[in-house]
Amino acid sequence: MRTTFLLLALPLALAACHHDEQAAQSTGDASFEAKLQQQLLDAKPGTVIDIPAGHYHLQRGLSLRTDGVTIKGDGMDKTVLSFKGQVVGPEGLLVNANDFTIENLALEDTKGDALKINQGKNITIRGVRVEWTGGPKTTNGAYGLYPVKTQNVLVEDSVVIGASDAGIYVGQSNNIVVRRNRAEYNVAGIEIENSVNADVYENTATNNTGGILVFNMPNLSQAGHSTRIFKNKTIGNNTDNFAAKGAAVASVPRGSGIVVNSNDKVEIFDNDIADNKTANVIISSYFSTNYYNTKGVAADYNPYPKGIFIYDNRFKGGGDSPDGLKLKTLKTAVFGLNGKFPDILWDGYVDEKKLVDGLPPAGDRFCIQNGDVGVINADGPHDYKNPSTDTKAYQCTLPKLPPVVLDPEPKA
């Protein structure tokens, strides 16, 4: 009889113990959350907020409005701020400040954007992991690392997984370096949008819908130009597009390695680009996005990509299973049922008013110096009726862009 009592009592005791542990954990998290938000509110220029190793559950978004603050953890897999079940605030951390550094921690499962930095100068994001742990879902937050309207921006040695728009997004910003990051299972792995002077290098983009994007969208505060994409690995970005309906990236075809849309002065060189099933590189205009807003497009917006230079990349595979009925039909019509697109797919839109002898002005041309790499002009303006694989028009060179120099150079 006594043995039976002990057997019954043991699970009850264990359950009570587990309940006590959960209550203690909940109390500890609430105390930590309140303390951290107070540290952010009390911060002064030069303040360093150290967050020790631990897995902390937060219910409210955090915010910082003081210049010159550093937030540091013990490592992206050691200091974890989890926003699973977040009830207040759209972002995990919202920063409106200059001279801001965040490093060596993780932000998980935020309700909306994970880290948004708005209108700051001298921004450093280093060794930060952002992840939606349930895998790719439309209900995940849109942006992982999200500096917008910023200047002198460094994003390095970070990881973003599962964003329903862009993992690493730098928008309407100037003087940008994005290097040595990993972007995986996002709609867009890395996106530079309406930004000027960006170097994107030594990153790995894999298992996204599109690996690396350089976009110019209408009706924003500035037009983008002068982006160098080099020494990256953009491989096997074939995840189905799970962006919210109406988002600009909802039009990105599954299986896109590098996409340039309506942007100017873009160099793509010394990259490993492989096994992206629609095309390893896509050059397109705004007219191919199917993204038309109800307010129309600003009169000074230029929808055509200009001054695109692709050279010295290493291509492999890809193009064998394009996304969407039109592209599938085009691939089969030109290359056969078992054929594949060449490495570079161009939608064929060009500003007819500026052509001279059938070509754009010298600085606006689309030039390729990449061995025998093929190109298809899809003839988008005529609904793909007269595609061409003739590469003669692309045999040209363009002046190379200078490296981006951050000033001041962030301290490691």
Side-chain angles (χ1 to χ4, degrees), residues 21 36 92 102 122 135 138 166 181 191 225 238 260 265 356 363 393 397 402:
E21 286 178 358
L36 179 56
I102 183 168
N122 307 327
T138 305
N181 303 286
E191 182 174 0
H225 63 80
N238 299 309
V260 178
K265 296 182 181 178
V356 179
T397 61

Side-chain angles (χ1 to χ4, degrees), residues 150-195:
T150 50
Q151 297 180 40
N152 220 53
V153 182
L154 173 63
V155 183
E156 66 179 5
D157 302 316
S158 295
V159 175
V160 184
I161 301 171
S164 65
D165 196 300
I168 298 171
Y169 172 101
V170 185
Q172 302 173 70
S173 297
N174 296 269
N175 228 44
I176 302 147
V177 173
V178 178
R179 65 189 179 198
R180 300 192 305 269
N181 303 286
R182 179 167 65 91
E184 191 167 3
Y185 291 109
N186 310 284
V187 175
I190 298 169
E191 182 174 0
I192 307 298
E193 184 175 278
N194 290 72
S195 292

Side-chain angles (χ1 to χ4, degrees), residues 36-43 49 62-64 66 71 93:
L36 179 56
Q37 184 64 80
Q38 195 61 48
Q39 285 179 297
L40 294 169
L41 290 170
D42 294 342
I49 299 173
L62 304 168
S63 63
L64 172 69
T66 303
I71 300 175
L93 173 60

Side-chain angles (χ1 to χ4, degrees), residues 19-258:
H19 177 77
D20 290 344
E21 286 178 358
Q22 284 186 320
Q25 178 70 24
S26 177
T27 302
D29 285 345
S31 174
F32 167 82
E33 182 175 2
K35 179 182 177 183
L36 179 56
Q37 184 64 80
Q38 195 61 48
Q39 285 179 297
L40 294 169
L41 290 170
D42 294 342
K44 296 176 174 58
T47 294
V48 177
I49 299 173
D50 282 301
I51 305 177
H55 195 283
Y56 307 99
H57 293 270
L58 290 80
Q59 292 189 317
R60 296 171 176 267
L62 304 168
S63 63
L64 172 69
R65 295 183 177 273
T66 303
D67 294 344
V69 173
T70 296
I71 300 175
K72 297 175 64 175
D74 274 0
M76 67 168 68
D77 295 317
K78 294 181 179 179
T79 299
V80 179
L81 306 183
S82 172
F83 292 83
K84 197 167 188 177
Q86 181 179 356
V87 294
V88 177
E91 296 92 9
L93 173 60
L94 174 63
V95 177
N96 290 86
N98 302 314
D99 304 302
F100 171 70
T101 297
I102 183 168
E103 57 188 6
N104 301 329
L105 53 79
L107 304 170
E108 291 184 352
D109 296 317
T110 56
K111 183 177 180 180
D113 307 325
L115 171 62
K116 183 175 182 180
I117 302 169
N118 194 29
Q119 296 184 323
K121 296 180 181 179
N122 307 327
I123 306 300
T124 300
I125 302 169
R126 177 184 295 121
V128 174
R129 177 173 60 85
V130 171
E131 185 170 359
W132 284 269
T133 59
K137 295 178 182 177
T138 305
T139 52
N140 291 350
Y143 300 102
L145 303 176
Y146 183 22
V148 61
K149 296 184 179 180
T150 50
Q151 297 180 40
N152 220 53
V153 182
L154 173 63
V155 183
E156 66 179 5
D157 302 316
S158 295
V159 175
V160 184
I161 301 171
S164 65
D165 196 300
I168 298 171
Y169 172 101
V170 185
Q172 302 173 70
S173 297
N174 296 269
N175 228 44
I176 302 147
V177 173
V178 178
R179 65 189 179 198
R180 300 192 305 269
N181 303 286
R182 179 167 65 91
E184 191 167 3
Y185 291 109
N186 310 284
V187 175
I190 298 169
E191 182 174 0
I192 307 298
E193 184 175 278
N194 290 72
S195 292
V196 177
N197 294 334
D199 272 359
V200 180
Y201 64 94
E202 296 178 3
N203 303 284
T204 297
T206 186
N207 293 319
N208 307 285
T209 301
I212 300 175
L213 278 54
V214 184
F215 273 31
N216 246 351
M217 299 303 292
N219 309 329
L220 296 180
S221 62
Q222 69 178 31
H225 63 80
S226 304
T227 296
R228 301 194 311 159
I229 303 172
F230 60 102
K231 296 184 178 179
N232 301 284
K233 294 181 179 179
T234 177
I235 298 171
N237 292 285
N238 299 309
T239 294
D240 287 341
N241 194 315
F242 59 99
K245 187 177 180 181
V249 295
S251 65
V252 175
R254 170 190 48 78
S256 303
I258 295 175

Side-chain angles (χ1 to χ4, degrees), residues 371-383:
D372 59 356
V373 165
V375 184
I376 181 169
N377 174 347
D379 190 34
H382 303 105
D383 203 25

Side-chain angles (χ1 to χ4, degrees), residues 95 114 154 187 268 287 340-341 345:
V95 177
L154 173 63
V187 175
I268 302 171
F287 302 116
K340 66 172 195 169
F341 279 140
L345 169 64

